[in-house]
Amino acid sequence: MSADTDSVPDSAPDVMGLDHTTVTGWGRTAPTAARLIRPRTYEEAAAAVRGCGERGGIPRGLGRAYGDAAQNAGGAVLDMTGLDRVHAIDADGGTVLCDAGVSLHRLMEVLLPLGWFVPVTPGTRYVTVGGAIGADIHGKNHHVSGSFARHVLALELLTADGEIQTVIPGTPLFDATAGGMGLTGVILTATIRLQPVETSLMSVDTERATDLDDLMARLAATDHRYRYSVAWIDLLARGAATGRAVLTRGDHAPLDALPARMRRDALSFRTSRLPSAPAALPEGLLSRTTVGLFNELWYRKAPRARTGQLQRIPAFFHPLDGVPHWNRVYGRGGFVQYQFVVGYGREDALRRIVRRISERRCPSFLAVLKRFGESDPGWLSFPVPGWTLALDIPAGLPGLDAFLDELDEEVAAAGGRVYLAKDARLRPELLAAMYPRLDDFRALRAELDPHGVFVSDLARRLHL
């Protein structure tokens, strides 16, 4: 059985627009000016690519890349959210064909009532399908399901010559596009394999870990029992409590786990929103003192051990989505989201980095540790088997650039890498050590796009 449906635009004008505007990432650290183009048809997208001009262009979704991946100083930025149709759903086989501008939020609205869920979701559902492929996003289930691109059966790619190619897994162009940060072309459509679910609720287990070693031991011993797993970690705790954490894991609740009164509406998708964060907040609001107090309260209020709690999907996967523009909390200076991975067997490097962050007293209240499973084929895809830590830090913290440069060196020396979709400041000389297929990516780009039609601030900074 299949169904055809048109989605409501997430945010797009009625016609293709052409505006000069300031564009920034979600971290709001390095804004640059560009021509913003909003195509509403594939033909308009092709015309925009052909007319990008000397500074080229880069596709952009809902702007949730933290750094400068979807910016293009002096050039064009193609806002793809106007291409947002869900073309067909195979409700028997579990696939969906949709435009790249469709958000994961919209897919959840459409798919959950049919008993299907997106195969991978990050910490926000306000990511487009094109952005999910371009960044090869991962979620709490990487140790089981891998990254988003692993579930893409085919995609249509608008290349630098203005032509549309059908790209399938196992080809060099697919592997360059998955995690390629929009630099191989504009993704127009994708066919995605879905995850079957019986309800729109999660069955969640929560426990506290006393320190980093306790946390890693719990994750390594029992993660195989759960589809989804993540740990909030207190990076301001020191001494014997260094790395203490709240570990949250779960799976989609089966129908028979629901109380009888909830089973008749088991697949409904409900969200709630709090008031938007103010446009201007006092600088220094997130100080070591305030974040330290928050972390202490958050750790203490978490149960020592609780099993089988029913949570709605937004609460489990996307708690911050309930606060529009939550990134404003960091003030006008913005924030840096720093995420790295080091392989299994390099736990010593993870311990040193956590200890250094703790001793440095970085005021981070959004810090999470996860385990990655098998690597994905994308040449610039971030996940490799190992431990990944992500943390947010106010950009104005004194000495932050030098401190993160030192962490980059430690990560690279341990054979790890940083996540390009969140990066805003990595030095280019470390990139080849972190991404061994970098030369292959550069060679394919040179062949596919010899005139540099697709370019971004990230690409210029890292010589991609």
Side-chain angles (χ1 to χ4, degrees):
M1 180 177 71
S2 66
D4 294 318
T5 178
D6 287 338
S7 69
V8 176
D10 285 299
S11 66
D14 292 332
V15 295
M16 185 173 80
L18 181 59
D19 303 302
H20 295 270
T21 189
T22 299
V23 180
T24 186
W26 192 245
R28 307 171 72 203
T29 55
T32 54
R35 293 182 298 121
L36 191 63
I37 305 173
R38 301 180 178 95
R40 292 298 302 270
T41 66
Y42 304 149
E43 292 77 15
E44 287 183 355
V49 167
R50 296 188 186 101
C52 277
E54 293 183 2
R55 294 286 289 181
I58 191 72
R60 179 182 177 92
L62 288 167
R64 291 305 178 103
Y66 285 81
D68 54 3
Q71 300 173 211
N72 182 22
V77 170
L78 279 62
D79 178 346
M80 298 302 296
T81 57
L83 290 167
D84 63 348
R85 291 170 296 173
V86 177
H87 293 284
I89 300 168
D90 181 349
D92 293 327
T95 63
V96 61
L97 168 63
C98 63
D99 284 343
V102 173
S103 70
L104 299 191
H105 172 85
R106 180 56 177 157
L107 285 183
M108 292 176 196
E109 288 183 323
V110 172
L111 296 171
L112 271 168
L114 302 176
W116 297 99
F117 190 62
V118 294
V120 172
T121 177
T124 175
R125 60 187 180 274
Y126 296 110
V127 174
T128 63
V129 167
I133 299 169
D136 200 11
I137 59 170
H138 57 272
K140 299 175 182 178
N141 60 339
H142 191 277
H143 63 293
V144 173
S145 302
S147 296
F148 193 90
R150 187 183 297 185
H151 306 272
V152 175
L153 303 177
L155 59 88
E156 289 183 304
L157 187 71
L158 175 63
T159 50
D161 56 7
E163 300 299 319
I164 298 174
Q165 295 192 38
T166 299
V167 185
I168 60 173
T171 62
L173 185 52
F174 187 94
D175 292 345
T177 300
M181 307 310 297
L183 296 170
T184 61
V186 179
I187 299 170
L188 296 177
T189 70
T191 302
I192 305 160
R193 183 175 54 246
L194 304 170
Q195 169 69 33
V197 296
E198 294 182 17
T199 75
S200 60
L201 292 168
M202 306 298 297
S203 177
V204 181
D205 294 353
T206 304
E207 58 190 287
R208 290 194 305 204
T210 57
D211 58 28
L212 183 61
D213 283 339
D214 182 31
L215 172 62
M216 289 193 293
R218 291 170 185 256
L219 285 166
T222 58
D223 248 13
H224 64 280
R225 302 176 188 170
Y226 298 91
R227 179 173 295 275
Y228 303 100
S229 177
V230 67
W232 169 88
I233 184 169
D234 182 0
L235 292 177
L236 282 174
R238 292 186 289 182
T242 299
R244 68 179 181 177
V246 178
L247 178 56
T248 306
R249 295 180 288 188
D251 207 336
H252 298 279
L255 186 62
D256 60 12
L258 272 59
R261 60 182 173 80
M262 299 178 65
R263 295 180 187 178
R264 287 173 295 181
D265 200 22
L267 287 168
S268 64
F269 179 53
R270 297 192 184 99
T271 64
S272 59
R273 291 169 75 91
L274 297 172
S276 178
L281 287 166
E283 296 297 326
L285 181 66
L286 297 182
S287 66
R288 293 183 178 95
T289 301
T290 57
V291 174
L293 177 61
F294 170 88
N295 286 4
E296 182 70 25
L297 293 173
W298 191 260
Y299 181 77
R300 294 296 176 189
K301 85 174 188 65
R304 293 183 182 276
R306 181 176 61 197
T307 60
Q309 182 191 26
L310 293 177
Q311 292 184 10
R312 296 208 172 271
I313 279 171
F316 181 76
F317 289 106
H318 317 117
L320 285 175
D321 281 348
V323 184
H325 304 293
W326 62 262
N327 56 340
R328 295 174 181 170
V329 171
Y330 295 85
R332 298 187 185 280
F335 70 103
V336 173
Q337 174 86 187
Y338 185 70
Q339 183 168 5
F340 68 89
V341 58
V342 293
Y344 296 125
R346 301 310 303 264
E347 287 79 6
D348 56 335
L350 178 63
R351 292 187 186 97
R352 283 195 303 271
I353 292 171
V354 168
R355 189 164 52 248
R356 291 186 65 180
I357 294 171
S358 175
E359 292 171 350
R360 183 69 168 69
R361 306 292 287 160
C362 293
S364 176
F365 72 94
L366 292 175
V368 296
L369 183 73
K370 292 181 290 199
R371 296 173 77 245
F372 280 158
E374 183 180 340
S375 297
D376 294 283
W379 293 344
L380 296 186
S381 291
F382 169 64
V384 294
W387 305 90
T388 180
L389 177 65
L391 62 147
D392 66 314
I393 313 172
L397 192 69
L400 179 62
D401 286 344
F403 177 66
L404 293 182
D405 283 347
E406 293 172 3
L407 296 191
D408 290 341
E409 296 278 359
E410 181 126 20
V411 168
R417 58 184 56 165
V418 300
Y419 190 16
L420 297 184
K422 295 185 176 180
D423 176 59
R425 23 117 347 249
L426 179 68
R427 302 197 315 271
E429 58 267 25
L430 291 177
L431 196 63
M434 293 180 173
Y435 288 90
R437 301 297 301 270
L438 178 62
D439 285 344
D440 293 327
F441 179 80
R442 285 170 169 162
L444 186 142
R445 275 202 71 209
E447 177 183 349
L448 191 68
D449 184 8
H451 303 294
V453 171
F454 295 112
V455 65
S456 65
D457 292 351
L458 173 81
R460 292 190 183 94
R461 176 168 54 84
L462 294 178
H463 310 313
L464 291 174

